[in-house]
Amino acid sequence: MSTIARRVMFLCMCLWSGAATAAEQLSLAEISTYLNSLTTLKSDFRQTNDDRSVSTGTLYIHRPGRMRFEYDPPEQALVIASASAVYIIDRKSNQLPETYPLRRTPLSLILGRNIDLTRANMVRQAQFDGTATIVTAADPDNPDTGFIELTFTDNPTQLREWVIYDAAGGQTKVELGTFETGMSLPSSLFNPDRERNSDR
């Protein structure tokens, strides 16, 4: 085989390999299966707030129903979802946490026991940007609570970021870094009473 022929064959093999591993849009059924299989997750995160300020920290998820945002210093806030409620805690304050029903926040679409994005009127839009599948969803039973935009990559399927749009028009973006799943997480991480008046 001539040198030119070898180069052409090598190029064709590279092109075929690239096509075979190119990102593809995920179906809503595939994403639902992935989210339902996700039991525990730990990840560093970067949060961009509505005022463009940026916070970082560690995120813990224990599905169904539990989530913890532990912010890096100098932030003193802590956000815990547990027992069907979301608690916003100031660990340097004697005040009671701000509390909201979980079902009244778009986070319920991540933390629900049985997630079915194919459910009628749940997904407003699903699109593919060439590298990731972006799903915009809202709870059809609570349409006035805002909505969430979830970004997933494939091969393997992974949740990479989300943006929450609240009812007032504000938005909060959370980008996940390197994460691990399937580990054991202590229930104390999701106990808001344990965190009140903590000096940690």
Side-chain angles (χ1 to χ4, degrees), residues 5 25 27 33 42 45 95 98 103-104 112 120 145 163 175-176 196:
Q25 181 165 354
S27 70
T33 297
K42 178 182 178 181
F45 72 89
Q95 300 297 316
E98 295 180 42
R103 69 178 184 279
R104 302 289 296 176
T145 59
V163 183
E175 302 167 84
L176 302 185
R196 288 186 57 199

Short mmCIF file of all heavy atoms in Angstrom, two decimals, residues 5 25 27 33 42 45 95 98 103-104 112 120 145 163 175-176 196:
data_model
loop_
_atom_site.label_atom_id
_atom_site.label_comp_id
_atom_site.label_asym_id
_atom_site.label_seq_id
_atom_site.Cartn_x
_atom_site.Cartn_y
_atom_site.Cartn_z
N ALA A 5 -2.05 6.16 0.12
CA ALA A 5 -3.19 5.31 0.44
C ALA A 5 -3.31 5.08 1.94
O ALA A 5 -4.40 5.07 2.51
CB ALA A 5 -3.07 3.97 -0.29
N GLN A 25 -28.16 13.80 20.89
CA GLN A 25 -29.22 14.26 21.79
C GLN A 25 -29.81 13.08 22.55
O GLN A 25 -30.09 12.02 21.98
CB GLN A 25 -30.32 14.97 21.01
CG GLN A 25 -31.43 15.50 21.91
CD GLN A 25 -32.32 16.50 21.21
OE1 GLN A 25 -32.06 16.90 20.08
NE2 GLN A 25 -33.39 16.92 21.87
N SER A 27 -32.80 11.28 24.72
CA SER A 27 -34.25 11.32 24.77
C SER A 27 -34.71 11.62 26.20
O SER A 27 -33.95 11.43 27.17
CB SER A 27 -34.85 9.98 24.32
OG SER A 27 -34.59 8.97 25.29
N THR A 33 -34.53 7.95 33.09
CA THR A 33 -33.92 6.73 33.63
C THR A 33 -32.64 7.06 34.37
O THR A 33 -32.37 6.53 35.46
CB THR A 33 -33.62 5.74 32.49
OG1 THR A 33 -34.87 5.35 31.88
CG2 THR A 33 -32.91 4.49 33.00
N LYS A 42 -21.79 13.51 45.01
CA LYS A 42 -20.99 14.54 45.68
C LYS A 42 -20.17 15.24 44.62
O LYS A 42 -19.51 14.60 43.80
CB LYS A 42 -20.07 13.92 46.73
CG LYS A 42 -19.17 14.94 47.42
CD LYS A 42 -18.23 14.27 48.43
CE LYS A 42 -17.30 15.29 49.07
NZ LYS A 42 -16.36 14.64 50.04
N PHE A 45 -19.03 22.65 43.11
CA PHE A 45 -19.91 23.40 42.22
C PHE A 45 -19.52 24.86 42.18
O PHE A 45 -18.85 25.39 43.07
CB PHE A 45 -21.38 23.24 42.65
CG PHE A 45 -21.75 23.98 43.91
CD1 PHE A 45 -22.18 25.30 43.88
CD2 PHE A 45 -21.67 23.36 45.14
CE1 PHE A 45 -22.51 25.99 45.04
CE2 PHE A 45 -22.00 24.03 46.32
CZ PHE A 45 -22.43 25.35 46.26
N GLN A 95 -31.27 33.28 64.15
CA GLN A 95 -32.58 33.28 63.53
C GLN A 95 -32.92 31.88 63.01
O GLN A 95 -32.05 31.09 62.63
CB GLN A 95 -32.62 34.28 62.37
CG GLN A 95 -32.35 35.72 62.78
CD GLN A 95 -33.39 36.25 63.74
OE1 GLN A 95 -34.59 36.04 63.55
NE2 GLN A 95 -32.94 36.94 64.79
N GLU A 98 -34.88 30.18 56.89
CA GLU A 98 -35.96 30.41 55.94
C GLU A 98 -36.37 29.04 55.39
O GLU A 98 -35.50 28.24 55.04
CB GLU A 98 -35.50 31.31 54.80
CG GLU A 98 -35.14 32.72 55.21
CD GLU A 98 -34.70 33.55 54.02
OE1 GLU A 98 -35.35 33.45 52.95
OE2 GLU A 98 -33.69 34.26 54.14
N ARG A 103 -41.80 21.08 47.10
CA ARG A 103 -42.65 20.93 45.91
C ARG A 103 -42.92 22.26 45.23
O ARG A 103 -43.36 22.30 44.09
CB ARG A 103 -43.97 20.26 46.28
CG ARG A 103 -44.90 21.10 47.12
CD ARG A 103 -46.22 20.41 47.42
NE ARG A 103 -47.14 21.26 48.15
CZ ARG A 103 -47.10 21.47 49.45
NH1 ARG A 103 -46.19 20.85 50.19
NH2 ARG A 103 -47.99 22.27 50.03
N ARG A 104 -42.66 23.37 45.95
CA ARG A 104 -42.87 24.69 45.40
C ARG A 104 -41.61 25.26 44.78
O ARG A 104 -41.55 26.45 44.46
CB ARG A 104 -43.39 25.64 46.48
CG ARG A 104 -44.68 25.21 47.16
CD ARG A 104 -45.87 25.33 46.24
NE ARG A 104 -46.14 26.70 45.86
CZ ARG A 104 -47.08 27.07 44.99
NH1 ARG A 104 -47.81 26.15 44.38
NH2 ARG A 104 -47.26 28.34 44.69
N GLY A 112 -37.27 14.34 42.98
CA GLY A 112 -38.47 13.53 43.10
C GLY A 112 -38.17 12.03 43.11
O GLY A 112 -37.17 11.57 42.56
N ALA A 120 -47.02 14.67 30.62
CA ALA A 120 -47.64 15.76 29.86
C ALA A 120 -47.38 17.10 30.52
O ALA A 120 -47.52 17.26 31.74
CB ALA A 120 -49.14 15.51 29.74
N THR A 145 -44.24 28.33 40.09
CA THR A 145 -43.05 28.27 40.96
C THR A 145 -41.75 28.47 40.20
O THR A 145 -40.68 28.32 40.77
CB THR A 145 -43.00 26.93 41.71
OG1 THR A 145 -42.95 25.86 40.75
CG2 THR A 145 -44.21 26.76 42.60
N VAL A 163 -29.98 25.68 35.56
CA VAL A 163 -30.31 27.08 35.82
C VAL A 163 -31.74 27.11 36.32
O VAL A 163 -32.65 26.56 35.67
CB VAL A 163 -30.18 27.96 34.55
CG1 VAL A 163 -30.46 29.42 34.90
CG2 VAL A 163 -28.81 27.82 33.92
N GLU A 175 -23.10 25.03 38.16
CA GLU A 175 -22.28 24.18 37.30
C GLU A 175 -21.54 23.16 38.16
O GLU A 175 -20.90 23.53 39.15
CB GLU A 175 -21.26 25.03 36.54
CG GLU A 175 -21.87 26.12 35.68
CD GLU A 175 -20.83 27.12 35.20
OE1 GLU A 175 -20.17 26.83 34.18
OE2 GLU A 175 -20.67 28.17 35.87
N LEU A 176 -21.65 21.89 37.79
CA LEU A 176 -20.99 20.84 38.55
C LEU A 176 -19.58 20.60 38.03
O LEU A 176 -19.34 20.66 36.82
CB LEU A 176 -21.79 19.53 38.45
CG LEU A 176 -23.25 19.59 38.92
CD1 LEU A 176 -23.86 18.20 38.87
CD2 LEU A 176 -23.35 20.17 40.32
N ARG A 196 -28.01 24.60 62.94
CA ARG A 196 -28.33 25.89 63.56
C ARG A 196 -27.31 26.26 64.63
O ARG A 196 -26.90 25.45 65.45
CB ARG A 196 -29.73 25.85 64.17
CG ARG A 196 -30.85 25.85 63.14
CD ARG A 196 -32.19 25.96 63.82
NE ARG A 196 -32.26 27.15 64.64
CZ ARG A 196 -33.15 27.32 65.63
NH1 ARG A 196 -33.99 26.35 65.93
NH2 ARG A 196 -33.17 28.45 66.32
#
